Amino acid sequence: MTGQDSDAYRALLELRAAYARAIDYGQWEEYAQLFTTDTEVVYPRETLNGRQAVYEYGRDRVEYEYSMHTAQMPELEIDGNTASGEWYMLVFYIATDGTQGHVLGSYTDEYRRVDGSWKFDRMVATVAHDTGGYHKLSP
């Protein structure tokens, strides 16, 4: 791995960590800034188009009393100012309605470097199992 690739690799790890922290702490403005302006985010029940839609989704629809989002075992491919990645996902949560559980799944990401910063350009969050049913697998 070249020096530039290792810098990008580290930046992508930090981007994924910032995503988890922003959701866990309800920091929706910071959350939205992690995405490109024309991003596409595919969650189990909804597809979001654009950074503003991402912000509104977090602010208006994500309702955790407590959550801990984690992502492990990244497989990242870096090609200049674009990259892609696959991650395992594990989330522990208590929803505001009292529902408790954990989620097993994965993230499939496409990234783009914009003005020197890596952003999510496209994200697909796949929920394979949710013990509490909060993250319904279909509408």
Side-chain angles (χ1 to χ4, degrees):
M1 187 178 298
T2 68
Q4 288 179 334
D5 284 351
S6 63
D7 290 346
Y9 188 91
R10 180 178 175 92
L12 294 171
L13 296 178
E14 291 172 357
L15 178 66
R16 175 52 69 194
Y19 170 87
R21 279 191 308 275
I23 291 177
D24 292 341
Y25 295 114
Q27 298 169 327
W28 304 121
E29 290 179 18
E30 292 85 346
Y31 164 76
Q33 292 303 311
L34 302 172
F35 296 86
T36 59
T37 57
D38 59 345
T39 193
E40 179 183 56
V41 178
V42 181
Y43 285 134
R45 294 176 34 129
E46 192 164 347
T47 298
L48 311 172
N49 291 295
R51 182 184 290 157
Q52 185 63 31
V54 169
Y55 169 74
E56 290 169 4
Y57 178 85
R59 181 195 66 198
D60 300 339
R61 304 273 312 279
V62 179
E63 298 178 345
Y64 293 116
E65 183 71 30
Y66 170 81
S67 68
M68 184 176 68
H69 286 71
T70 67
Q72 303 82 28
M73 300 173 53
E75 296 179 22
L76 301 173
E77 292 188 26
I78 300 160
D79 185 15
N81 289 320
T82 62
S84 60
E86 298 276 339
W87 301 74
Y88 284 169
M89 169 207 314
L90 175 60
V91 179
F92 299 94
Y93 68 89
I94 301 172
T96 55
D97 67 2
T99 302
Q100 297 183 37
H102 63 270
V103 172
L104 305 173
S106 63
Y107 293 109
T108 303
D109 301 331
E110 295 175 17
Y111 313 97
R112 185 170 12 130
R113 191 173 3 217
V114 178
D115 296 328
S117 295
W118 285 97
K119 307 282 185 185
F120 292 103
D121 199 30
R122 184 169 196 274
M123 175 192 303
V124 177
T126 301
V127 173
H129 184 68
D130 181 350
T131 62
Y134 177 75
H135 304 84
K136 299 192 180 10
L137 302 180
S138 61

